[in-house]
Coordinates of all heavy atoms in Angstrom, one line a residue:
L1 N -20.8 -24.3 74.1 CA -22.1 -24.0 73.5 C -23.0 -25.2 73.2 O -24.1 -25.0 72.7 CB -21.9 -23.2 72.2 CG -21.0 -21.9 72.4 CD1 -20.9 -21.2 71.1 CD2 -21.6 -21.0 73.4
G2 N -22.5 -26.4 73.6 CA -23.3 -27.6 73.4 C -22.7 -28.5 72.3 O -22.1 -28.0 71.4
H3 N -22.9 -29.7 72.5 CA -22.3 -30.8 71.7 C -20.8 -30.7 71.6 O -20.1 -30.9 72.6 CB -23.0 -30.9 70.3 CG -22.7 -32.2 69.7 ND1 -23.3 -33.4 70.1 CD2 -22.0 -32.5 68.6 CE1 -22.8 -34.4 69.4 NE2 -22.1 -33.9 68.4
Q4 N -20.3 -30.3 70.4 CA -18.8 -30.1 70.3 C -18.4 -28.7 70.1 O -17.2 -28.4 69.7 CB -18.4 -31.0 69.0 CG -18.8 -32.4 69.1 CD -18.1 -33.2 70.2 OE1 -17.1 -32.8 70.8 NE2 -18.7 -34.3 70.5
T5 N -19.3 -27.8 70.3 CA -19.0 -26.4 70.0 C -18.5 -25.6 71.2 O -19.1 -25.6 72.2 CB -20.3 -25.7 69.4 OG1 -20.8 -26.4 68.3 CG2 -20.0 -24.3 69.0
W6 N -17.4 -24.9 70.9 CA -16.7 -24.1 71.9 C -16.5 -22.7 71.4 O -16.1 -22.5 70.2 CB -15.4 -24.7 72.4 CG -15.5 -25.9 73.2 CD1 -15.7 -27.2 72.7 CD2 -15.6 -26.0 74.6 NE1 -15.8 -28.1 73.7 CE2 -15.7 -27.4 74.9 CE3 -15.5 -25.1 75.6 CZ2 -15.8 -27.9 76.2 CZ3 -15.5 -25.6 76.9 CH2 -15.7 -26.9 77.2
L7 N -16.6 -21.7 72.3 CA -16.1 -20.3 72.0 C -15.0 -20.0 73.0 O -15.2 -20.1 74.2 CB -17.3 -19.3 72.1 CG -16.9 -17.8 71.9 CD1 -16.5 -17.7 70.4 CD2 -18.1 -16.9 72.2
V8 N -13.8 -19.8 72.5 CA -12.6 -19.5 73.3 C -12.2 -18.1 73.1 O -12.1 -17.6 72.0 CB -11.5 -20.5 72.9 CG1 -10.3 -20.2 73.8 CG2 -11.9 -22.0 73.1
Q9 N -12.0 -17.4 74.2 CA -11.6 -16.0 74.1 C -10.4 -15.7 75.0 O -10.3 -16.3 76.1 CB -12.8 -15.1 74.7 CG -12.6 -13.7 74.6 CD -13.8 -12.9 75.0 OE1 -14.9 -13.2 74.5 NE2 -13.7 -11.9 75.8
G10 N -9.5 -14.9 74.5 CA -8.3 -14.6 75.2 C -7.5 -13.6 74.4 O -7.5 -13.6 73.1
G11 N -6.8 -12.7 75.1 CA -5.9 -11.8 74.4 C -6.7 -10.9 73.4 O -6.1 -10.4 72.4
G12 N -7.9 -10.6 73.7 CA -8.7 -9.8 72.8 C -9.3 -10.4 71.6 O -9.8 -9.8 70.7
H13 N -9.2 -11.7 71.5 CA -9.6 -12.5 70.3 C -10.6 -13.6 70.7 O -10.5 -14.1 71.8 CB -8.4 -13.1 69.6 CG -7.5 -12.1 69.1 ND1 -7.7 -11.3 68.0 CD2 -6.3 -11.7 69.6 CE1 -6.7 -10.5 67.8 NE2 -5.8 -10.8 68.7
R14 N -11.5 -13.9 69.8 CA -12.5 -15.0 70.0 C -12.3 -16.0 68.9 O -12.3 -15.6 67.7 CB -13.9 -14.4 69.9 CG -14.3 -13.7 71.1 CD -15.8 -13.3 70.9 NE -16.1 -12.1 71.8 CZ -16.1 -10.9 71.4 NH1 -15.9 -10.6 70.1 NH2 -16.3 -9.9 72.2
V15 N -12.3 -17.2 69.2 CA -12.2 -18.3 68.2 C -13.4 -19.3 68.5 O -13.6 -19.7 69.6 CB -10.9 -19.1 68.4 CG1 -10.8 -20.3 67.4 CG2 -9.7 -18.1 68.1
L16 N -14.1 -19.6 67.5 CA -15.2 -20.5 67.5 C -14.8 -21.8 67.0 O -14.2 -21.9 65.8 CB -16.4 -19.9 66.7 CG -17.7 -20.6 66.7 CD1 -18.3 -20.7 68.2 CD2 -18.7 -19.9 65.8
I17 N -14.9 -22.9 67.7 CA -14.4 -24.2 67.4 C -15.6 -25.1 67.1 O -16.5 -25.3 67.9 CB -13.5 -24.8 68.5 CG1 -12.4 -23.9 68.8 CG2 -13.0 -26.2 68.1 CD1 -11.6 -24.2 70.0
D18 N -15.6 -25.7 65.9 CA -16.6 -26.7 65.4 C -18.0 -26.2 65.7 O -18.8 -26.8 66.4 CB -16.4 -28.0 66.1 CG -15.1 -28.7 65.7 OD1 -14.6 -28.4 64.6 OD2 -14.6 -29.6 66.4
P19 N -18.4 -25.1 65.0 CA -19.7 -24.5 65.3 C -20.9 -25.3 64.8 O -21.0 -25.6 63.6 CB -19.6 -23.1 64.6 CG -18.6 -23.3 63.6 CD -17.6 -24.3 64.1
V20 N -21.7 -25.8 65.7 CA -23.0 -26.3 65.4 C -24.0 -25.4 66.2 O -24.1 -25.5 67.4 CB -23.2 -27.8 65.8 CG1 -24.6 -28.2 65.6 CG2 -22.2 -28.6 65.0
L21 N -24.5 -24.4 65.5 CA -25.3 -23.3 66.1 C -26.8 -23.5 66.0 O -27.6 -22.8 66.6 CB -24.9 -22.0 65.5 CG -23.4 -21.6 65.6 CD1 -23.1 -20.3 64.9 CD2 -22.9 -21.6 67.0
K22 N -27.2 -24.6 65.3 CA -28.6 -24.9 65.2 C -28.9 -26.0 66.3 O -28.1 -26.4 67.0 CB -28.9 -25.4 63.8 CG -28.5 -24.5 62.7 CD -29.8 -23.9 62.2 CE -29.4 -22.9 61.0 NZ -30.6 -22.3 60.5
E23 N -30.2 -26.3 66.4 CA -30.7 -27.3 67.4 C -30.4 -28.7 67.0 O -30.5 -29.6 67.8 CB -32.1 -27.1 67.6 CG -32.5 -25.8 68.2 CD -34.0 -25.5 68.4 OE1 -34.7 -26.5 68.5 OE2 -34.3 -24.4 68.3
A24 N -30.0 -28.9 65.7 CA -29.8 -30.3 65.2 C -28.7 -30.2 64.1 O -28.5 -29.2 63.5 CB -31.1 -31.0 64.7
F25 N -28.2 -31.4 63.8 CA -27.2 -31.5 62.7 C -27.5 -32.8 62.0 O -28.3 -33.6 62.4 CB -25.8 -31.4 63.1 CG -25.4 -32.5 64.1 CD1 -24.9 -33.7 63.7 CD2 -25.6 -32.3 65.5 CE1 -24.6 -34.7 64.6 CE2 -25.3 -33.3 66.4 CZ -24.8 -34.5 66.0
G26 N -26.9 -33.0 60.8 CA -27.1 -34.3 60.1 C -27.9 -34.0 58.9 O -28.0 -32.9 58.4
L27 N -28.7 -35.0 58.5 CA -29.5 -34.9 57.3 C -31.0 -34.8 57.7 O -31.6 -35.8 58.2 CB -29.3 -36.2 56.4 CG -27.9 -36.5 56.0 CD1 -27.8 -37.8 55.3 CD2 -27.4 -35.4 55.1
P28 N -31.5 -33.6 57.5 CA -32.9 -33.4 57.9 C -33.9 -34.4 57.3 O -33.8 -34.7 56.1 CB -33.3 -32.0 57.4 CG -31.9 -31.3 57.2 CD -31.0 -32.4 56.9
G29 N -34.7 -35.0 58.2 CA -35.6 -36.0 57.7 C -35.1 -37.4 57.5 O -35.8 -38.3 57.3
Q30 N -33.7 -37.5 57.6 CA -33.1 -38.8 57.3 C -32.3 -39.3 58.5 O -32.6 -40.3 59.1 CB -32.2 -38.8 56.1 CG -33.0 -38.5 54.8 CD -32.0 -38.4 53.6 OE1 -30.9 -39.0 53.7 NE2 -32.5 -37.7 52.6
A31 N -31.3 -38.6 58.8 CA -30.4 -38.9 60.0 C -30.1 -37.6 60.7 O -29.0 -37.2 60.8 CB -29.1 -39.6 59.4
E32 N -31.1 -37.0 61.3 CA -31.0 -35.8 62.0 C -30.7 -36.1 63.5 O -31.4 -36.9 64.1 CB -32.2 -34.9 61.9 CG -32.0 -33.5 62.4 CD -33.2 -32.6 62.0 OE1 -34.3 -32.9 62.5 OE2 -33.0 -31.7 61.2
C33 N -29.7 -35.5 64.0 CA -29.3 -35.7 65.4 C -29.5 -34.4 66.2 O -29.1 -33.3 65.7 CB -27.9 -36.1 65.6 SG -27.5 -37.6 64.7
R34 N -30.1 -34.4 67.4 CA -30.4 -33.3 68.2 C -29.1 -32.9 69.0 O -28.4 -33.8 69.4 CB -31.5 -33.5 69.2 CG -32.8 -34.0 68.6 CD -33.4 -33.0 67.6 NE -33.9 -31.8 68.4 CZ -34.3 -30.7 67.7 NH1 -34.4 -30.7 66.4 NH2 -34.7 -29.7 68.4
V35 N -28.8 -31.7 69.1 CA -27.7 -31.2 69.9 C -27.9 -31.5 71.4 O -29.0 -31.3 71.9 CB -27.4 -29.7 69.7 CG1 -26.4 -29.2 70.6 CG2 -26.9 -29.5 68.2
W36 N -26.9 -32.0 72.1 CA -27.0 -32.2 73.5 C -26.0 -31.4 74.3 O -24.8 -31.4 73.9 CB -26.9 -33.7 73.9 CG -27.2 -33.9 75.3 CD1 -26.3 -34.1 76.3 CD2 -28.5 -34.0 75.9 NE1 -26.9 -34.3 77.5 CE2 -28.3 -34.2 77.3 CE3 -29.8 -33.8 75.4 CZ2 -29.3 -34.2 78.2 CZ3 -30.8 -33.9 76.3 CH2 -30.6 -34.1 77.7
P37 N -26.3 -30.7 75.3 CA -27.6 -30.5 75.9 C -28.4 -29.6 74.9 O -27.9 -28.8 74.2 CB -27.3 -29.8 77.2 CG -26.0 -29.2 77.1 CD -25.2 -30.0 76.1
P38 N -29.8 -29.8 75.0 CA -30.6 -29.0 74.1 C -30.4 -27.5 74.4 O -30.3 -27.1 75.6 CB -32.1 -29.4 74.5 CG -31.9 -30.7 75.1 CD -30.5 -30.7 75.8
R39 N -30.4 -26.7 73.4 CA -30.2 -25.2 73.6 C -30.6 -24.5 72.3 O -30.6 -25.1 71.2 CB -28.8 -24.9 74.1 CG -27.6 -25.5 73.3 CD -27.5 -25.0 72.0 NE -26.2 -25.4 71.3 CZ -26.1 -25.5 70.1 NH1 -27.2 -25.4 69.3 NH2 -25.0 -25.9 69.5
R40 N -30.8 -23.2 72.4 CA -31.0 -22.4 71.2 C -30.0 -21.3 71.2 O -29.7 -20.7 72.3 CB -32.4 -21.7 71.3 CG -33.5 -22.6 70.9 CD -34.6 -21.8 70.4 NE -35.4 -22.5 69.4 CZ -36.7 -22.5 69.4 NH1 -37.4 -21.9 70.2 NH2 -37.3 -23.2 68.4
I41 N -29.3 -21.0 70.1 CA -28.4 -20.0 70.0 C -28.8 -19.0 68.9 O -29.2 -19.4 67.8 CB -27.0 -20.5 69.6 CG1 -26.4 -21.4 70.7 CG2 -26.0 -19.4 69.2 CD1 -25.1 -22.1 70.4
D42 N -28.9 -17.7 69.3 CA -29.2 -16.7 68.4 C -27.9 -16.1 67.9 O -27.2 -15.3 68.5 CB -30.0 -15.6 69.0 CG -30.5 -14.5 68.0 OD1 -29.9 -14.3 67.0 OD2 -31.5 -13.8 68.4
A43 N -27.5 -16.6 66.7 CA -26.2 -16.2 66.1 C -26.0 -14.7 66.0 O -24.9 -14.1 66.0 CB -25.9 -16.9 64.8
G44 N -27.2 -14.0 65.8 CA -27.1 -12.5 65.7 C -26.8 -11.8 67.0 O -26.3 -10.7 66.9
L45 N -27.0 -12.5 68.1 CA -26.7 -11.9 69.4 C -25.3 -12.4 69.9 O -24.7 -11.8 70.8 CB -27.7 -12.2 70.4 CG -29.1 -11.7 70.2 CD1 -30.1 -12.2 71.2 CD2 -29.1 -10.2 70.1
M46 N -24.8 -13.4 69.3 CA -23.5 -14.0 69.7 C -22.4 -13.1 69.3 O -22.4 -12.5 68.2 CB -23.3 -15.4 69.0 CG -22.1 -16.1 69.5 SD -22.0 -17.8 68.7 CE -21.5 -17.3 67.1
P47 N -21.4 -12.9 70.2 CA -20.2 -12.0 69.7 C -19.6 -12.7 68.5 O -19.4 -13.9 68.4 CB -19.3 -12.0 70.9 CG -19.8 -13.1 71.9 CD -21.2 -13.4 71.5
S48 N -19.2 -11.8 67.5 CA -18.6 -12.3 66.3 C -17.2 -12.9 66.6 O -16.4 -12.2 67.2 CB -18.5 -11.2 65.3 OG -18.0 -11.6 64.1

C-alpha cells in the first residue's frame, strides 16, 4: 500500500501491517514525510 504498509490476505483473513494510510507521516509542519510512492487510500473503501 506504499512506504512500509502491507495488506496480507490468506485463509479467509486479512492482516494490515504497519498501516500508514494517510499521504504523510511524522510531525505536521515540523518533520512531515511524504509516503512513497505517492498515493491516496480511502480507508472507508478498504476491506476491513
